[in-house]
Amino acid sequence: MLQAAAVDGDRLERMIARRVVGEPLEQVLGWAEFCGMRVAVAPGVFVPRRRTEFLVERVVQLLGSEIRPVVVDLCCGTGAIGVAIAQRLDVVLHAADLNPDAVACARQNVTMGEVHEGDLYDALPVDLRGRVDLLAVNAPYVPSDEIRLMPPEARLHEHHVALDGGADGLDLHRRVASGAPAWLRPGGTLLIETSRAQAESTAAACADAGLRPTTLSREESTLVEAVAPVIFVRA
Ligand SMILES: C[S@@+](CC[C@H](N)C(=O)[O-])C[C@H]1O[C@@H](n2cnc3c(N)ncnc32)[C@H](O)[C@@H]1O
């Protein structure tokens, strides 16, 4: 793959040297395969994982018949999730990330939506409040103390802000869940990737926020799907 990507021998040598010191193949190549597409990946930016394709498939099942739903890819990294959704469905797409390298990379990938920079919901245009049909989130969820156990590709070559979920790994999940009801439309859905071991706690964070959570698993991928309440107001 490096040979195919390098334009000349010098370039190939430089790419091999980067790979030898543990830089992820995707960052060296400049792209990752995700949901059958090539997504641009810049140095330091989280490499989209194949397990996250499960989240995209679930979004497509959930939104298949809706007309131009509003989808937010929060903690978007390269924007892979949002781009894969927009390739499959006609959606109004917003993607957001805190990390400027990730935002620059997502701006390369997300050609059919808007990319915003900032801390979680603070990055989003205020007119989306209460109007989001689906929040698709793969936020960091590695407990801080377990980052040292990760392979060097992640530990040394992906920004720690993309991995570190705080002491129990769930700091971001709790913040995403508590902010979700204000941004989702009534009956809208938060889909959040988690691990099998953390699923119960992620689901509890969603329930604490007043959402109705269900846990879905496939192979090594686990999601919590949490629905916002629909409040009927009597006339
Ligand atoms: C695990 S990576 C996932 C990236 C992408 N969603 C994917 O699946 O490929 C988490 C991303 O969350 C971003 N992030 C971390 N803390 C954030 C925050 N407070 N607000 C917004 N984005 C944040 C990181 O910069 C990183 O790009």
Side-chain angles (χ1 to χ4, degrees):
M1 292 174 88
L2 293 178
Q3 224 159 13
V7 285
D8 56 42
D10 281 353
R11 179 94 202 268
L12 180 61
E13 286 304 321
R14 283 201 299 276
M15 291 173 102
I16 291 171
R18 287 171 63 190
R19 182 68 194 112
V20 165
V21 296
E23 196 170 339
L25 176 65
E26 293 86 345
Q27 289 178 3
V28 179
L29 288 171
W31 57 269
E33 191 182 324
F34 184 76
C35 287
M37 335 167 285
R38 279 189 181 191
V39 178
V41 184
V45 176
F46 185 86
V47 176
R49 308 295 204 262
R50 299 301 287 267
R51 63 171 174 268
T52 305
E53 294 180 353
F54 181 44
L55 193 154
V56 172
E57 286 165 26
R58 186 63 193 138
V59 171
V60 172
Q61 280 174 353
L62 276 172
L63 295 181
S65 57
E66 293 199 25
I67 298 162
R68 295 218 85 212
V70 176
V71 172
V72 173
D73 177 358
L74 203 59
C75 298
C76 68
T78 60
I81 294 173
V83 173
I85 295 168
Q87 270 217 335
R88 286 159 178 75
L89 301 172
D90 183 18
V91 297
V92 177
L93 175 64
H94 291 266
D97 202 286
L98 179 68
N99 179 254
D101 292 339
V103 170
C105 190
R107 289 201 168 121
Q108 255 184 282
N109 289 314
V110 179
T111 52
M112 58 293 266
E114 290 178 40
V115 181
H116 314 281
E117 181 175 333
D119 182 24
L120 295 184
Y121 300 99
D122 289 352
L124 300 176
V126 285
D127 66 347
L128 289 183
R129 275 179 85 91
R131 290 187 42 231
V132 177
D133 293 281
L134 190 131
L135 276 166
V137 188
N138 182 21
Y141 55 85
V142 182
S144 306
D145 207 33
E146 290 178 23
I147 293 177
R148 67 194 163 84
L149 307 175
M150 296 183 84
E153 278 84 350
R155 181 165 47 82
L156 303 177
H157 297 281
E158 290 178 322
H159 293 310
H160 275 206
V161 70
L163 308 172
D164 193 348
D168 65 352
L170 295 165
D171 284 2
L172 271 291
H173 286 191
R174 281 185 284 268
R175 291 182 57 212
V176 168
S178 72
W183 292 84
L184 290 170
R185 67 157 168 81
T189 305
L190 162 66
L191 260 180
I192 185 163
E193 182 177 303
T194 186
S195 70
R196 207 168 283 251
Q198 291 162 305
E200 208 176 303
S201 307
T202 303
C206 292
D208 287 348
L211 304 167
R212 205 159 23 85
T214 314
T215 301
L216 312 168
S217 289
R218 194 195 62 181
E219 292 149 21
E220 85 280 32
S221 183
T222 301
L223 305 177
V224 169
E225 182 174 312
V227 181
V230 182
I231 297 159
F232 294 100
V233 181
R234 240 181 256 179

